[in-house]
Every structure is written in C-alpha cells, then in structure tokens.
Amino acid sequence: DAGVIQSPRHEVTEMGQEVTLRCKPISGHNSLFWYRQTMMRGLELLIYFNNNVPIDDSGMPEDRFSAKMPNASFSTLKIQPSEPRDSAVYFCASSFERAFPPPREYFGPGTRLTVL
Amino acid sequence: QQQVKQSPQSLIVQKGGISIINCAYENTAFDYFPWYQQFPGKGPALLIAIRPDVSEKKEGRFTISFNKSAKQFSLHIMDSQPGDSATYFCAASIQGAQKLVFGQGTRLTINP
C-alpha cells in the first residue's frame, strides 16, 4: 500500500527562484495538509484542503507561498520567489474524514528544501 | 487558546529507564490527543492517542496519562530502548475538525 508520496525529496535552489513541491495523498483520503518543519519553529501547519477545497490557509507565511489541489490525487506547494529563510523540511499529510474515530494524519517522507 | 505546550525540548534517558514527556493545553474543546513519533529523515507517524473520557491508555511500553481537570497529558515510555530515540510530538484536535495542533516536539535520546 503506497503511502503519501512527495517529490522531490531534496531541493537545492538559489534565492529568487521558483520552487514547486508535489504531493500525492493516499488514495481515498479526502483531506490534505502541508506542514513546514524547522528547528526554530517546529512543525507548522501551512494550509489544509478538504475535498480539494482550501479550508484554512492561515499558516501560509506570505504571498510568496501558494498551494493548489486540482484533483483528489495531487497537490502542489509553490514558493515564488524563494528566500533563504524558506529553507526547511516540507511535509505533506493526508487523512480520511470520519466522524468517529478521529482522523489520523499520514505523513509523507518530506521534501528538504535548501535556498542558497 | 489553540496552542499545545510541550516539554521538555530534549530528553536523555538511560536504556531501561522511563521517558516522560508532558503537554498542556488551554482549549477545553479539544477532545482528541494523539502522540506522533518521528525518526530522522522520516515524516511523523501516529504512535498512540487518547480521548478525554479515559485517564490512561496503554499500548505496549507506551502509555498516555490524561488529566482533564489540569488540562495536561503525558507520554510515558517504559523500559526505554535505543530504538525509541526519536522526536515526539503531542497534538490535539476538536471533534469534527480535521486540523491537528502540534506541540513543539521533544527530542528523545536513549543512551545504551
């Protein structure tokens, strides 16, 4: 059973470049989450989708960040232009909405982004 | 109100000892409290979870203790092993909400 798939696993880019991170959620899951993890700030929720619709994007740092979910099996997180402070590990997670038991988030392996 | 405060930030325990990680919350609407375990280079994975209608849940060497009146919950790892060395996150959510609120994480090291 394939878990959450993220690509690329590692990305090194220069400041000012556009970066696109990709995620394929677990088949049948209808919620998708993008997180950012840094030593200083821990695990931060950036945005989450339910049934392909963005529900809460209050964690998106600024307008340089955007996320899309064109269908149930694909999502992107784009940073344009990228800055060194965007360097972090970005995780995608998915879950299946159920009233009970509570939803369980399955995390992907993450994309380690380095902006020089 | 939406925060979950986790302590300590890092913890070193000898093999065979008990590891204890604590979390506190303010929002009384939280009704689901999972713990996630993250190994280096991997994404977090659900370890164990509890609802506030019970005070304790045990799965193998891992136990969650929950104190509803104090709005605190903790993870206890009995007979800690080097393989338990990881970062542990507590979290909380509100029934019906898809979003989890995570604590800051605790880096646990078990010395052999």
Side-chain angles (χ1 to χ4, degrees):
Chain A
D1 221 8
V4 175
I5 298 172
Q6 291 186 246
S7 65
R9 293 294 311 276
H10 302 273
E11 176 82 28
V12 180
T13 190
E14 292 188 348
M15 182 174 63
Q17 296 297 306
E18 177 180 294
V19 174
T20 299
L21 311 181
R22 296 173 176 80
C23 176
K24 177 178 169 56
I26 293 172
S27 178
H29 283 189
N30 61 351
S31 291
L32 183 139
F33 307 81
W34 282 101
Y35 288 89
R36 178 172 67 177
Q37 184 175 35
T38 61
M39 289 294 293
M40 290 297 296
R41 301 174 69 92
L43 198 58
E44 303 174 274
L45 177 65
L46 300 177
I47 185 171
Y48 83 94
F49 296 83
N50 186 248
N51 294 322
N52 311 337
V53 176
I55 302 299
D56 183 349
D57 65 354
S58 59
M60 295 286 263
E62 47 198 276
D63 291 347
R64 297 184 298 106
F65 286 69
S66 63
K68 293 182 179 179
M69 191 164 187
N71 57 63
S73 59
F74 184 66
S75 177
T76 60
L77 177 68
K78 186 175 292 187
I79 308 172
Q80 166 63 21
S82 58
E83 297 182 2
R85 60 191 169 122
D86 302 329
S87 297
V89 180
Y90 291 81
F91 288 103
C92 175
S94 70
S95 71
F96 178 59
E97 182 181 49
R98 286 188 294 256
F100 184 84
R104 167 181 173 171
E105 294 188 18
Y106 292 80
F107 282 76
T111 295
R112 181 173 295 276
L113 173 65
T114 302
V115 183
L116 303 174
Chain B
Q1 272 279 316
Q2 288 295 318
Q3 284 186 328
V4 177
K5 295 183 180 179
Q6 183 172 348
S7 63
Q9 278 190 310
S10 62
L11 180 63
I12 300 174
V13 176
Q14 291 300 117
K15 178 183 175 182
I18 302 173
S19 303
I20 301 174
I21 304 170
N22 301 298
C23 284
Y25 64 97
E26 288 296 324
N27 190 343
T28 55
F30 286 145
D31 69 347
Y32 172 63
F33 303 90
W35 284 88
Y36 279 72
Q37 180 187 53
Q38 182 183 27
F39 292 108
K42 305 290 186 183
L46 180 66
L47 181 64
I48 186 173
I50 196 169
R51 281 193 172 278
D53 51 351
V54 296
S55 60
E56 185 176 283
K57 182 172 182 180
K58 185 176 181 179
E59 290 183 3
R61 296 184 293 108
F62 299 89
T63 300
I64 300 178
S65 297
F66 187 83
N67 186 330
K68 189 173 182 178
S69 61
K71 291 184 283 187
Q72 294 175 349
F73 59 110
S74 60
L75 175 69
H76 295 237
I77 306 174
M78 311 300 288
D79 187 26
S80 300
Q81 299 297 311
D84 298 329
S85 297
T87 298
Y88 292 81
F89 293 93
C90 62
S93 74
I94 300 170
Q95 186 176 6
Q98 289 294 104
K99 192 168 83 169
L100 284 170
V101 178
F102 282 89
Q104 285 296 96
T106 296
R107 179 172 290 184
L108 174 65
T109 302
I110 308 299
N111 283 335

PDB file of all heavy atoms in Angstrom, chain A residues 5-12 19-23 34-37 77 79 86-92 108-114, chain B residues 41-43:
ATOM      1  N   ILE A   5       3.085  10.279  -1.121  1.00  0.00           N
ATOM      2  CA  ILE A   5       4.281  10.404  -1.950  1.00  0.00           C
ATOM      3  C   ILE A   5       4.599  11.883  -2.157  1.00  0.00           C
ATOM      4  O   ILE A   5       3.719  12.669  -2.541  1.00  0.00           O
ATOM      5  CB  ILE A   5       4.078   9.706  -3.311  1.00  0.00           C
ATOM      6  CG1 ILE A   5       3.824   8.214  -3.099  1.00  0.00           C
ATOM      7  CG2 ILE A   5       5.298   9.908  -4.209  1.00  0.00           C
ATOM      8  CD1 ILE A   5       3.426   7.467  -4.353  1.00  0.00           C
ATOM      9  N   GLN A   6       5.836  12.240  -1.897  1.00  0.00           N
ATOM     10  CA  GLN A   6       6.269  13.623  -2.099  1.00  0.00           C
ATOM     11  C   GLN A   6       7.462  13.653  -3.051  1.00  0.00           C
ATOM     12  O   GLN A   6       8.316  12.772  -3.035  1.00  0.00           O
ATOM     13  CB  GLN A   6       6.680  14.277  -0.770  1.00  0.00           C
ATOM     14  CG  GLN A   6       5.530  14.521   0.178  1.00  0.00           C
ATOM     15  CD  GLN A   6       5.953  15.302   1.398  1.00  0.00           C
ATOM     16  OE1 GLN A   6       5.945  14.807   2.521  1.00  0.00           O
ATOM     17  NE2 GLN A   6       6.317  16.574   1.179  1.00  0.00           N
ATOM     18  N   SER A   7       7.486  14.706  -3.844  1.00  0.00           N
ATOM     19  CA  SER A   7       8.648  14.901  -4.714  1.00  0.00           C
ATOM     20  C   SER A   7       8.918  16.388  -4.896  1.00  0.00           C
ATOM     21  O   SER A   7       7.978  17.202  -4.809  1.00  0.00           O
ATOM     22  CB  SER A   7       8.413  14.235  -6.084  1.00  0.00           C
ATOM     23  OG  SER A   7       7.339  14.876  -6.757  1.00  0.00           O
ATOM     24  N   PRO A   8      10.166  16.767  -5.089  1.00  0.00           N
ATOM     25  CA  PRO A   8      11.348  15.914  -4.915  1.00  0.00           C
ATOM     26  C   PRO A   8      11.617  15.664  -3.427  1.00  0.00           C
ATOM     27  O   PRO A   8      10.982  16.266  -2.567  1.00  0.00           O
ATOM     28  CB  PRO A   8      12.452  16.771  -5.540  1.00  0.00           C
ATOM     29  CG  PRO A   8      12.028  18.176  -5.242  1.00  0.00           C
ATOM     30  CD  PRO A   8      10.515  18.180  -5.370  1.00  0.00           C
ATOM     31  N   ARG A   9      12.529  14.779  -3.117  1.00  0.00           N
ATOM     32  CA  ARG A   9      12.884  14.551  -1.723  1.00  0.00           C
ATOM     33  C   ARG A   9      13.848  15.613  -1.222  1.00  0.00           C
ATOM     34  O   ARG A   9      13.860  15.959  -0.035  1.00  0.00           O
ATOM     35  CB  ARG A   9      13.520  13.166  -1.559  1.00  0.00           C
ATOM     36  CG  ARG A   9      12.563  12.006  -1.812  1.00  0.00           C
ATOM     37  CD  ARG A   9      11.444  11.951  -0.763  1.00  0.00           C
ATOM     38  NE  ARG A   9      11.960  12.039   0.595  1.00  0.00           N
ATOM     39  CZ  ARG A   9      12.423  11.017   1.276  1.00  0.00           C
ATOM     40  NH1 ARG A   9      12.440   9.811   0.747  1.00  0.00           N
ATOM     41  NH2 ARG A   9      12.871  11.179   2.515  1.00  0.00           N
ATOM     42  N   HIS A  10      14.674  16.095  -2.132  1.00  0.00           N
ATOM     43  CA  HIS A  10      15.614  17.154  -1.796  1.00  0.00           C
ATOM     44  C   HIS A  10      15.589  18.184  -2.915  1.00  0.00           C
ATOM     45  O   HIS A  10      15.493  17.830  -4.092  1.00  0.00           O
ATOM     46  CB  HIS A  10      17.041  16.601  -1.646  1.00  0.00           C
ATOM     47  CG  HIS A  10      17.168  15.541  -0.607  1.00  0.00           C
ATOM     48  ND1 HIS A  10      17.399  15.807   0.714  1.00  0.00           N
ATOM     49  CD2 HIS A  10      17.074  14.186  -0.709  1.00  0.00           C
ATOM     50  CE1 HIS A  10      17.463  14.668   1.394  1.00  0.00           C
ATOM     51  NE2 HIS A  10      17.268  13.675   0.555  1.00  0.00           N
ATOM     52  N   GLU A  11      15.694  19.449  -2.507  1.00  0.00           N
ATOM     53  CA  GLU A  11      15.704  20.523  -3.494  1.00  0.00           C
ATOM     54  C   GLU A  11      16.663  21.589  -3.015  1.00  0.00           C
ATOM     55  O   GLU A  11      16.533  22.079  -1.894  1.00  0.00           O
ATOM     56  CB  GLU A  11      14.298  21.102  -3.662  1.00  0.00           C
ATOM     57  CG  GLU A  11      14.211  22.287  -4.602  1.00  0.00           C
ATOM     58  CD  GLU A  11      14.132  21.878  -6.054  1.00  0.00           C
ATOM     59  OE1 GLU A  11      13.627  20.780  -6.349  1.00  0.00           O
ATOM     60  OE2 GLU A  11      14.596  22.663  -6.902  1.00  0.00           O
ATOM     61  N   VAL A  12      17.617  21.907  -3.863  1.00  0.00           N
ATOM     62  CA  VAL A  12      18.538  22.997  -3.570  1.00  0.00           C
ATOM     63  C   VAL A  12      18.357  24.035  -4.667  1.00  0.00           C
ATOM     64  O   VAL A  12      18.441  23.704  -5.851  1.00  0.00           O
ATOM     65  CB  VAL A  12      20.006  22.521  -3.523  1.00  0.00           C
ATOM     66  CG1 VAL A  12      20.928  23.701  -3.221  1.00  0.00           C
ATOM     67  CG2 VAL A  12      20.186  21.427  -2.475  1.00  0.00           C
ATOM     68  N   VAL A  19      10.094  27.545  -6.619  1.00  0.00           N
ATOM     69  CA  VAL A  19      10.189  26.171  -6.141  1.00  0.00           C
ATOM     70  C   VAL A  19       8.787  25.570  -6.116  1.00  0.00           C
ATOM     71  O   VAL A  19       7.842  26.210  -5.631  1.00  0.00           O
ATOM     72  CB  VAL A  19      10.786  26.120  -4.720  1.00  0.00           C
ATOM     73  CG1 VAL A  19      10.753  24.699  -4.179  1.00  0.00           C
ATOM     74  CG2 VAL A  19      12.208  26.668  -4.706  1.00  0.00           C
ATOM     75  N   THR A  20       8.653  24.367  -6.632  1.00  0.00           N
ATOM     76  CA  THR A  20       7.364  23.667  -6.599  1.00  0.00           C
ATOM     77  C   THR A  20       7.543  22.311  -5.947  1.00  0.00           C
ATOM     78  O   THR A  20       8.341  21.492  -6.405  1.00  0.00           O
ATOM     79  CB  THR A  20       6.778  23.485  -8.003  1.00  0.00           C
ATOM     80  OG1 THR A  20       6.565  24.774  -8.589  1.00  0.00           O
ATOM     81  CG2 THR A  20       5.442  22.757  -7.934  1.00  0.00           C
ATOM     82  N   LEU A  21       6.810  22.097  -4.882  1.00  0.00           N
ATOM     83  CA  LEU A  21       6.812  20.821  -4.182  1.00  0.00           C
ATOM     84  C   LEU A  21       5.518  20.090  -4.524  1.00  0.00           C
ATOM     85  O   LEU A  21       4.459  20.708  -4.612  1.00  0.00           O
ATOM     86  CB  LEU A  21       6.917  21.044  -2.670  1.00  0.00           C
ATOM     87  CG  LEU A  21       8.027  22.006  -2.211  1.00  0.00           C
ATOM     88  CD1 LEU A  21       8.030  22.103  -0.691  1.00  0.00           C
ATOM     89  CD2 LEU A  21       9.364  21.599  -2.736  1.00  0.00           C
ATOM     90  N   ARG A  22       5.628  18.780  -4.651  1.00  0.00           N
ATOM     91  CA  ARG A  22       4.490  17.997  -5.108  1.00  0.00           C
ATOM     92  C   ARG A  22       4.106  16.928  -4.100  1.00  0.00           C
ATOM     93  O   ARG A  22       4.967  16.403  -3.378  1.00  0.00           O
ATOM     94  CB  ARG A  22       4.811  17.357  -6.455  1.00  0.00           C
ATOM     95  CG  ARG A  22       5.040  18.375  -7.559  1.00  0.00           C
ATOM     96  CD  ARG A  22       5.525  17.741  -8.847  1.00  0.00           C
ATOM     97  NE  ARG A  22       5.638  18.723  -9.906  1.00  0.00           N
ATOM     98  CZ  ARG A  22       6.657  19.564 -10.043  1.00  0.00           C
ATOM     99  NH1 ARG A  22       7.669  19.536  -9.190  1.00  0.00           N
ATOM    100  NH2 ARG A  22       6.675  20.430 -11.031  1.00  0.00           N
ATOM    101  N   CYS A  23       2.828  16.597  -4.095  1.00  0.00           N
ATOM    102  CA  CYS A  23       2.328  15.608  -3.144  1.00  0.00           C
ATOM    103  C   CYS A  23       1.210  14.792  -3.774  1.00  0.00           C
ATOM    104  O   CYS A  23       0.303  15.335  -4.401  1.00  0.00           O
ATOM    105  CB  CYS A  23       1.817  16.298  -1.889  1.00  0.00           C
ATOM    106  SG  CYS A  23       1.055  15.175  -0.679  1.00  0.00           S
ATOM    107  N   TRP A  34      -0.357  20.581   4.304  1.00  0.00           N
ATOM    108  CA  TRP A  34       1.045  20.938   4.080  1.00  0.00           C
ATOM    109  C   TRP A  34       1.606  21.517   5.379  1.00  0.00           C
ATOM    110  O   TRP A  34       1.031  22.449   5.953  1.00  0.00           O
ATOM    111  CB  TRP A  34       1.184  21.976   2.965  1.00  0.00           C
ATOM    112  CG  TRP A  34       1.068  21.429   1.582  1.00  0.00           C
ATOM    113  CD1 TRP A  34      -0.018  21.480   0.749  1.00  0.00           C
ATOM    114  CD2 TRP A  34       2.096  20.753   0.845  1.00  0.00           C
ATOM    115  NE1 TRP A  34       0.269  20.880  -0.446  1.00  0.00           N
ATOM    116  CE2 TRP A  34       1.556  20.425  -0.415  1.00  0.00           C
ATOM    117  CE3 TRP A  34       3.420  20.393   1.120  1.00  0.00           C
ATOM    118  CZ2 TRP A  34       2.291  19.757  -1.404  1.00  0.00           C
ATOM    119  CZ3 TRP A  34       4.138  19.730   0.154  1.00  0.00           C
ATOM    120  CH2 TRP A  34       3.579  19.424  -1.098  1.00  0.00           C
ATOM    121  N   TYR A  35       2.738  20.954   5.818  1.00  0.00           N
ATOM    122  CA  TYR A  35       3.427  21.402   7.015  1.00  0.00           C
ATOM    123  C   TYR A  35       4.846  21.834   6.658  1.00  0.00           C
ATOM    124  O   TYR A  35       5.439  21.363   5.697  1.00  0.00           O
ATOM    125  CB  TYR A  35       3.544  20.268   8.049  1.00  0.00           C
ATOM    126  CG  TYR A  35       2.275  19.876   8.733  1.00  0.00           C
ATOM    127  CD1 TYR A  35       1.446  18.897   8.199  1.00  0.00           C
ATOM    128  CD2 TYR A  35       1.911  20.461   9.944  1.00  0.00           C
ATOM    129  CE1 TYR A  35       0.284  18.502   8.859  1.00  0.00           C
ATOM    130  CE2 TYR A  35       0.750  20.070  10.610  1.00  0.00           C
ATOM    131  CZ  TYR A  35      -0.048  19.092  10.057  1.00  0.00           C
ATOM    132  OH  TYR A  35      -1.194  18.715  10.700  1.00  0.00           O
ATOM    133  N   ARG A  36       5.388  22.694   7.501  1.00  0.00           N
ATOM    134  CA  ARG A  36       6.796  23.072   7.393  1.00  0.00           C
ATOM    135  C   ARG A  36       7.447  22.783   8.742  1.00  0.00           C
ATOM    136  O   ARG A  36       6.868  23.108   9.790  1.00  0.00           O
ATOM    137  CB  ARG A  36       6.925  24.559   7.045  1.00  0.00           C
ATOM    138  CG  ARG A  36       8.346  25.057   6.957  1.00  0.00           C
ATOM    139  CD  ARG A  36       8.399  26.476   6.428  1.00  0.00           C
ATOM    140  NE  ARG A  36       7.827  27.453   7.328  1.00  0.00           N
ATOM    141  CZ  ARG A  36       7.811  28.762   7.089  1.00  0.00           C
ATOM    142  NH1 ARG A  36       8.346  29.227   5.962  1.00  0.00           N
ATOM    143  NH2 ARG A  36       7.277  29.608   7.953  1.00  0.00           N
ATOM    144  N   GLN A  37       8.629  22.190   8.702  1.00  0.00           N
ATOM    145  CA  GLN A  37       9.325  21.863   9.943  1.00  0.00           C
ATOM    146  C   GLN A  37      10.707  22.512   9.949  1.00  0.00           C
ATOM    147  O   GLN A  37      11.502  22.306   9.029  1.00  0.00           O
ATOM    148  CB  GLN A  37       9.465  20.351  10.134  1.00  0.00           C
ATOM    149  CG  GLN A  37      10.086  19.961  11.460  1.00  0.00           C
ATOM    150  CD  GLN A  37      10.099  18.468  11.688  1.00  0.00           C
ATOM    151  OE1 GLN A  37      10.265  17.670  10.773  1.00  0.00           O
ATOM    152  NE2 GLN A  37       9.902  18.052  12.941  1.00  0.00           N
ATOM    153  N   LEU A  77       2.731  22.806  -3.658  1.00  0.00           N
ATOM    154  CA  LEU A  77       3.053  23.964  -2.832  1.00  0.00           C
ATOM    155  C   LEU A  77       4.151  24.723  -3.572  1.00  0.00           C
ATOM    156  O   LEU A  77       5.195  24.152  -3.867  1.00  0.00           O
ATOM    157  CB  LEU A  77       3.535  23.540  -1.446  1.00  0.00           C
ATOM    158  CG  LEU A  77       3.964  24.663  -0.497  1.00  0.00           C
ATOM    159  CD1 LEU A  77       2.760  25.503  -0.079  1.00  0.00           C
ATOM    160  CD2 LEU A  77       4.645  24.100   0.751  1.00  0.00           C
ATOM    161  N   ILE A  79       6.605  28.179  -4.012  1.00  0.00           N
ATOM    162  CA  ILE A  79       7.230  29.344  -3.377  1.00  0.00           C
ATOM    163  C   ILE A  79       7.877  30.168  -4.486  1.00  0.00           C
ATOM    164  O   ILE A  79       8.725  29.676  -5.228  1.00  0.00           O
ATOM    165  CB  ILE A  79       8.306  28.933  -2.349  1.00  0.00           C
ATOM    166  CG1 ILE A  79       7.747  27.921  -1.345  1.00  0.00           C
ATOM    167  CG2 ILE A  79       8.817  30.168  -1.600  1.00  0.00           C
ATOM    168  CD1 ILE A  79       8.802  27.316  -0.427  1.00  0.00           C
ATOM    169  N   ASP A  86      13.239  30.318   3.798  1.00  0.00           N
ATOM    170  CA  ASP A  86      12.277  29.270   3.456  1.00  0.00           C
ATOM    171  C   ASP A  86      12.886  27.879   3.588  1.00  0.00           C
ATOM    172  O   ASP A  86      12.173  26.872   3.461  1.00  0.00           O
ATOM    173  CB  ASP A  86      11.766  29.448   2.023  1.00  0.00           C
ATOM    174  CG  ASP A  86      11.116  30.806   1.802  1.00  0.00           C
ATOM    175  OD1 ASP A  86      10.537  31.355   2.770  1.00  0.00           O
ATOM    176  OD2 ASP A  86      11.189  31.319   0.672  1.00  0.00           O
ATOM    177  N   SER A  87      14.182  27.809   3.827  1.00  0.00           N
ATOM    178  CA  SER A  87      14.846  26.515   3.968  1.00  0.00           C
ATOM    179  C   SER A  87      14.235  25.761   5.141  1.00  0.00           C
ATOM    180  O   SER A  87      14.171  26.269   6.262  1.00  0.00           O
ATOM    181  CB  SER A  87      16.355  26.699   4.187  1.00  0.00           C
ATOM    182  OG  SER A  87      16.946  27.328   3.062  1.00  0.00           O
ATOM    183  N   ALA A  88      13.769  24.542   4.872  1.00  0.00           N
ATOM    184  CA  ALA A  88      13.050  23.755   5.875  1.00  0.00           C
ATOM    185  C   ALA A  88      12.745  22.400   5.260  1.00  0.00           C
ATOM    186  O   ALA A  88      13.036  22.147   4.091  1.00  0.00           O
ATOM    187  CB  ALA A  88      11.746  24.448   6.277  1.00  0.00           C
ATOM    188  N   VAL A  89      12.138  21.545   6.065  1.00  0.00           N
ATOM    189  CA  VAL A  89      11.563  20.307   5.531  1.00  0.00           C
ATOM    190  C   VAL A  89      10.059  20.519   5.417  1.00  0.00           C
ATOM    191  O   VAL A  89       9.409  20.921   6.389  1.00  0.00           O
ATOM    192  CB  VAL A  89      11.871  19.097   6.425  1.00  0.00           C
ATOM    193  CG1 VAL A  89      11.255  17.832   5.816  1.00  0.00           C
ATOM    194  CG2 VAL A  89      13.370  18.915   6.596  1.00  0.00           C
ATOM    195  N   TYR A  90       9.535  20.269   4.252  1.00  0.00           N
ATOM    196  CA  TYR A  90       8.105  20.442   3.993  1.00  0.00           C
ATOM    197  C   TYR A  90       7.452  19.073   3.919  1.00  0.00           C
ATOM    198  O   TYR A  90       7.873  18.206   3.146  1.00  0.00           O
ATOM    199  CB  TYR A  90       7.889  21.225   2.699  1.00  0.00           C
ATOM    200  CG  TYR A  90       8.325  22.674   2.826  1.00  0.00           C
ATOM    201  CD1 TYR A  90       9.664  23.034   2.697  1.00  0.00           C
ATOM    202  CD2 TYR A  90       7.397  23.677   3.103  1.00  0.00           C
ATOM    203  CE1 TYR A  90      10.068  24.352   2.839  1.00  0.00           C
ATOM    204  CE2 TYR A  90       7.795  25.003   3.242  1.00  0.00           C
ATOM    205  CZ  TYR A  90       9.133  25.328   3.117  1.00  0.00           C
ATOM    206  OH  TYR A  90       9.534  26.637   3.272  1.00  0.00           O
ATOM    207  N   PHE A  91       6.434  18.892   4.742  1.00  0.00           N
ATOM    208  CA  PHE A  91       5.716  17.624   4.769  1.00  0.00           C
ATOM    209  C   PHE A  91       4.314  17.804   4.201  1.00  0.00           C
ATOM    210  O   PHE A  91       3.641  18.808   4.442  1.00  0.00           O
ATOM    211  CB  PHE A  91       5.588  17.095   6.200  1.00  0.00           C
ATOM    212  CG  PHE A  91       6.863  16.590   6.787  1.00  0.00           C
ATOM    213  CD1 PHE A  91       7.572  17.354   7.706  1.00  0.00           C
ATOM    214  CD2 PHE A  91       7.347  15.340   6.438  1.00  0.00           C
ATOM    215  CE1 PHE A  91       8.750  16.876   8.254  1.00  0.00           C
ATOM    216  CE2 PHE A  91       8.525  14.849   6.985  1.00  0.00           C
ATOM    217  CZ  PHE A  91       9.241  15.630   7.892  1.00  0.00           C
ATOM    218  N   CYS A  92       3.897  16.789   3.503  1.00  0.00           N
ATOM    219  CA  CYS A  92       2.512  16.673   3.088  1.00  0.00           C
ATOM    220  C   CYS A  92       1.910  15.525   3.896  1.00  0.00           C
ATOM    221  O   CYS A  92       2.587  14.515   4.163  1.00  0.00           O
ATOM    222  CB  CYS A  92       2.451  16.371   1.593  1.00  0.00           C
ATOM    223  SG  CYS A  92       0.811  16.054   0.938  1.00  0.00           S
ATOM    224  N   GLY A 108       3.910  12.148   4.613  1.00  0.00           N
ATOM    225  CA  GLY A 108       4.869  11.726   3.615  1.00  0.00           C
ATOM    226  C   GLY A 108       6.284  11.831   4.165  1.00  0.00           C
ATOM    227  O   GLY A 108       6.484  12.261   5.309  1.00  0.00           O
ATOM    228  N   PRO A 109       7.267  11.473   3.358  1.00  0.00           N
ATOM    229  CA  PRO A 109       8.659  11.473   3.817  1.00  0.00           C
ATOM    230  C   PRO A 109       9.277  12.864   3.871  1.00  0.00           C
ATOM    231  O   PRO A 109      10.354  13.040   4.432  1.00  0.00           O
ATOM    232  CB  PRO A 109       9.376  10.612   2.779  1.00  0.00           C
ATOM    233  CG  PRO A 109       8.564  10.791   1.538  1.00  0.00           C
ATOM    234  CD  PRO A 109       7.135  10.917   1.996  1.00  0.00           C
ATOM    235  N   GLY A 110       8.603  13.853   3.281  1.00  0.00           N
ATOM    236  CA  GLY A 110       9.099  15.220   3.340  1.00  0.00           C
ATOM    237  C   GLY A 110       9.994  15.592   2.172  1.00  0.00           C
ATOM    238  O   GLY A 110      10.571  14.732   1.496  1.00  0.00           O
ATOM    239  N   THR A 111      10.058  16.892   1.920  1.00  0.00           N
ATOM    240  CA  THR A 111      10.994  17.474   0.950  1.00  0.00           C
ATOM    241  C   THR A 111      11.900  18.423   1.717  1.00  0.00           C
ATOM    242  O   THR A 111      11.422  19.364   2.352  1.00  0.00           O
ATOM    243  CB  THR A 111      10.257  18.263  -0.146  1.00  0.00           C
ATOM    244  OG1 THR A 111       9.457  17.380  -0.928  1.00  0.00           O
ATOM    245  CG2 THR A 111      11.266  18.983  -1.043  1.00  0.00           C
ATOM    246  N   ARG A 112      13.188  18.145   1.655  1.00  0.00           N
ATOM    247  CA  ARG A 112      14.151  19.037   2.315  1.00  0.00           C
ATOM    248  C   ARG A 112      14.539  20.132   1.324  1.00  0.00           C
ATOM    249  O   ARG A 112      15.158  19.848   0.303  1.00  0.00           O
ATOM    250  CB  ARG A 112      15.388  18.268   2.785  1.00  0.00           C
ATOM    251  CG  ARG A 112      16.409  19.159   3.493  1.00  0.00           C
ATOM    252  CD  ARG A 112      17.545  18.354   4.101  1.00  0.00           C
ATOM    253  NE  ARG A 112      17.078  17.483   5.168  1.00  0.00           N
ATOM    254  CZ  ARG A 112      16.915  17.858   6.418  1.00  0.00           C
ATOM    255  NH1 ARG A 112      17.169  19.098   6.773  1.00  0.00           N
ATOM    256  NH2 ARG A 112      16.515  16.990   7.325  1.00  0.00           N
ATOM    257  N   LEU A 113      14.147  21.348   1.623  1.00  0.00           N
ATOM    258  CA  LEU A 113      14.407  22.480   0.746  1.00  0.00           C
ATOM    259  C   LEU A 113      15.539  23.323   1.311  1.00  0.00           C
ATOM    260  O   LEU A 113      15.499  23.714   2.483  1.00  0.00           O
ATOM    261  CB  LEU A 113      13.158  23.355   0.593  1.00  0.00           C
ATOM    262  CG  LEU A 113      13.338  24.672  -0.165  1.00  0.00           C
ATOM    263  CD1 LEU A 113      13.705  24.406  -1.611  1.00  0.00           C
ATOM    264  CD2 LEU A 113      12.073  25.526  -0.075  1.00  0.00           C
ATOM    265  N   THR A 114      16.523  23.593   0.470  1.00  0.00           N
ATOM    266  CA  THR A 114      17.616  24.492   0.831  1.00  0.00           C
ATOM    267  C   THR A 114      17.654  25.619  -0.182  1.00  0.00           C
ATOM    268  O   THR A 114      17.767  25.374  -1.391  1.00  0.00           O
ATOM    269  CB  THR A 114      18.970  23.771   0.825  1.00  0.00           C
ATOM    270  OG1 THR A 114      18.912  22.660   1.746  1.00  0.00           O
ATOM    271  CG2 THR A 114      20.093  24.705   1.242  1.00  0.00           C
TER     272      THR A 114
ATOM    273  N   GLY B  41      14.883  11.937   9.184  1.00  0.00           N
ATOM    274  CA  GLY B  41      14.692  11.718   7.764  1.00  0.00           C
ATOM    275  C   GLY B  41      13.330  11.169   7.390  1.00  0.00           C
ATOM    276  O   GLY B  41      13.081  10.871   6.213  1.00  0.00           O
ATOM    277  N   LYS B  42      12.441  11.034   8.355  1.00  0.00           N
ATOM    278  CA  LYS B  42      11.099  10.490   8.096  1.00  0.00           C
ATOM    279  C   LYS B  42      10.038  11.492   8.522  1.00  0.00           C
ATOM    280  O   LYS B  42      10.296  12.427   9.278  1.00  0.00           O
ATOM    281  CB  LYS B  42      10.902   9.186   8.889  1.00  0.00           C
ATOM    282  CG  LYS B  42      11.953   8.129   8.644  1.00  0.00           C
ATOM    283  CD  LYS B  42      11.844   7.529   7.270  1.00  0.00           C
ATOM    284  CE  LYS B  42      12.807   6.364   7.095  1.00  0.00           C
ATOM    285  NZ  LYS B  42      12.751   5.806   5.717  1.00  0.00           N
ATOM    286  N   GLY B  43       8.831  11.250   8.033  1.00  0.00           N
ATOM    287  CA  GLY B  43       7.709  12.048   8.499  1.00  0.00           C
ATOM    288  C   GLY B  43       7.185  11.515   9.821  1.00  0.00           C
ATOM    289  O   GLY B  43       7.411  10.359  10.170  1.00  0.00           O
TER     290      GLY B  43
END
